Amino acid sequence: MPPGKVLQPVLKMKVDELFLCWLSESSTQAMLRDCLRRIQMPERGAGDAEQPGPRLAAAAPDPAWRPRECEGPGAPGPTPASTALPVGAASSARSGPPVRGPRRSGGTRVSCRTLQDPGDCSPPDSVHGIFQVQTRKEEPLPPAASRSIPTFYFPRGRPQDTVNIDAVITKIERTFAQFPHERATIEDMGRVAKACGCPLYWKGPLFCSAGGERTGSVSVHKFVAMWRKVLQNCHDDAAKFVHLLVSPGCSYLVQEDFVPFLQDVVNTHPGLAFLKEAAEFHSRYITTVIQRIFYTVNRSWSGRITCAELRRSTFLQNVALLEEEADINQLTEFFSYEHFYVIYCKFWELDTDHDLLIDAQDLARHNDHAISTKMIDRIFSGAVTRGKKVQKEGKISYADFVWFLISEEDKKTPTSIEYWFRCMDLDGDGALSMFELEYFYEEQCRRLDSMAIEALPFEDCLCQMLDLVKPQTEGRITLQDLKRCKLANVFFDTFFNIEKYLDHEQKEQASLLRESDSEGPELSDWERFAAEEYDILVAEEAAGDPWEDGYEAELSPMEQKLSALRSPLAQRPFLEAPGSLGAVELYEYECGDDDLPPS
């Protein structure tokens, strides 16, 4: 044979011949039938699938096996081409090749379509004439190692073995037995909430979830059925609270889900008793609290609060404190009436037509035009606002203004950093380039020149900001870089808030760092701003101009309604009597239900 001739096809023919002869053995066919039966019955073959090697080895033929001569007329003999194999290139018929079990992948199975008679050794055209590869219909069995991994994901909380559901139900039934006809009204739900082991102000969600909002009362049987289902499916407070508030079929909270809960807080909390009679202002306060909840809790900016987000927040702890704290203003994170008052007054000053919508010109007047027009345009571009009003009419609502004001006055929180980063990221690539920084700084330079103040060249300002932020990647500032930086407020004010930029320039960087490093019960920038602004508003109330004729004029019906809302101002220790709302021109406009002055 010429030395350059390829022998691989001849070798393959010999291997195929040996394989077919092995396959025709009765022991081989019995092994294949057993394997096929285990594949078709996974519950029986689950344990066998762990160690397929030994079973196949046990069923393999004797190493001394050799292909027997075919019996019967017309049986073909050995292929003549086998004589051309070189010595050692392939095993002889007497030495027997090493036997391999049939290979199969995890996603397919091999089924025997036809098995030849043991006495018939005539090989088919190809091996595929005997086996057919089919797609497995059933799911593949998991690896044996995965069965020992304990459950680690509990979207509805980790189940507690110590919870005795029957004991809780018995306690609830005893509580309902004290009510007429074993039916509880909304006034009775406080005791029911305590019997359930929940904070007092869960009573509103409990009442609505049991259908009491439709009928005015809840029967013991309906409430027990509802609460038993909650205990069986929800295993921590976050999952229970979400289950009570969500609409049927949802697994997350949207803004409308909080309205019944907060309306009950307004109606029953002693710190908001003065607001109970002024129903027109309930929606303003509730809107403010809802926006603050989503501002703090909804870290994904999705408009949907999940159990995981609620679990990571302090909202449920604040709900529990509603029962213990009679002064609602002490709960500054969500429920403070003083904070609502400051936000609403700021919005009222900008909303000149009092339609509860403001445009770019209105927002530009905030803080005496401190924010640059380029940043105002970015706010109205939809980068940080929701709803179609912005895109269609170029206006933002009171809810959007709540996010703006809190972000503007406290630029150190994660949400406020994300808020302004979204505004400055013009191309949305997740990083602030030097071009984007220069784009905003140009207007700052023009405004400083108009004030006869020499502006720092952009190159020098850029060096300062890069030293301040210390970005991980040269030439681009990411959101994580700003969150790591303790002076993110200085960075943002440098590029779009002229008043605060000048304030920072008058302070040394060391003093700014000392302020940011202060620990303990120190007020946040937003809490400090709200307290100062509220004191200013109260002082303006007290310093209102007296009546020119020397006696108090008779109050109009609208003024009488507003006087009830001023009672919290009169309760402050350094005030003797409240005056009129002098700084805000409330009565210059005719007010309707949807057009009300700040409380």
Side-chain angles (χ1 to χ4, degrees), residues 543-551 580:
D545 295 332
W547 300 101
E548 294 180 358
D549 50 10
Y551 62 90
S580 61

Side-chain angles (χ1 to χ4, degrees), residues 178-385:
Q178 304 172 13
F179 307 139
H181 309 291
E182 293 188 339
R183 298 186 69 89
T185 62
I186 184 62
E187 291 79 12
D188 302 323
M189 289 305 295
R191 284 189 286 172
V192 177
K194 286 301 180 181
C196 295
C198 300
L200 175 65
Y201 283 91
W202 284 39
K203 56 189 176 67
L206 287 170
F207 185 73
C208 295
S209 182
E213 191 176 21
R214 298 186 298 271
T215 61
S217 62
V218 179
S219 67
V220 60
H221 304 292
K222 195 167 186 178
F223 186 87
V224 165
M226 181 274 297
W227 191 242
R228 185 185 294 274
K229 181 179 179 181
V230 171
L231 293 178
Q232 291 174 347
N233 297 294
C234 306
H235 308 290
D236 64 357
D237 289 344
K240 294 174 184 176
F241 191 82
V242 171
H243 182 89
L244 293 175
L245 263 66
V246 295
S247 302
C250 290
S251 59
Y252 51 82
L253 293 171
V254 296
Q255 296 188 10
E256 292 77 11
D257 295 332
F258 286 89
V259 174
F261 160 69
L262 293 174
Q263 185 64 59
D264 180 65
V265 174
V266 172
N267 293 338
T268 59
H269 196 278
L272 296 172
F274 63 92
L275 195 60
K276 187 175 181 180
E277 300 301 328
E280 299 87 352
F281 289 94
H282 290 184
S283 63
R284 309 290 186 270
Y285 174 80
I286 290 174
T287 299
T288 305
V289 175
I290 289 176
Q291 298 309 314
R292 297 193 67 184
I293 292 172
F294 275 78
Y295 185 91
T296 305
V297 179
N298 186 212
R299 301 295 303 115
S300 62
W301 285 66
S302 63
R304 301 171 176 180
I305 294 179
T306 62
C307 285
E309 288 180 327
L310 194 63
R311 211 172 276 126
R312 288 191 293 265
S313 71
T314 60
F315 174 71
L316 292 180
Q317 290 87 328
N318 278 265
V319 172
L321 288 175
L322 285 171
E323 177 184 359
E324 304 173 6
E325 186 59 66
D327 185 4
I328 197 75
N329 295 316
Q330 297 300 319
L331 305 178
T332 57
E333 193 169 0
F334 301 105
F335 301 102
S336 172
Y337 175 81
E338 292 182 357
H339 290 192
F340 154 71
Y341 188 81
V342 170
I343 296 172
Y344 193 51
C345 284
K346 290 293 182 181
F347 182 82
W348 183 264
E349 294 174 1
L350 302 178
D351 185 20
T352 54
D353 55 359
H354 304 308
D355 61 349
L356 295 179
L357 295 171
I358 57 176
D359 56 18
Q361 289 74 25
D362 295 330
L363 188 62
R365 292 188 291 107
H366 173 72
N367 198 18
D368 196 18
H369 298 268
I371 301 178
S372 66
T373 57
K374 289 183 178 179
M375 181 53 67
I376 296 293
D377 292 340
R378 284 294 296 162
I379 293 173
F380 280 83
S381 68
V384 290
T385 55

Side-chain angles (χ1 to χ4, degrees), residues 458-472:
F458 174 71
E459 291 75 11
D460 297 339
C461 176
L462 181 61
C463 291
Q464 289 185 358
M465 293 300 103
L466 293 178
D467 291 341
L468 185 74
V469 177
K470 295 180 175 59
Q472 289 187 338

Side-chain angles (χ1 to χ4, degrees), residues 287-288 291-292 343 397-407:
T287 299
T288 305
Q291 298 309 314
R292 297 193 67 184
I343 296 172
S397 64
Y398 172 68
D400 295 320
F401 181 79
V402 174
W403 283 62
F404 162 77
L405 187 61
I406 297 177
S407 300

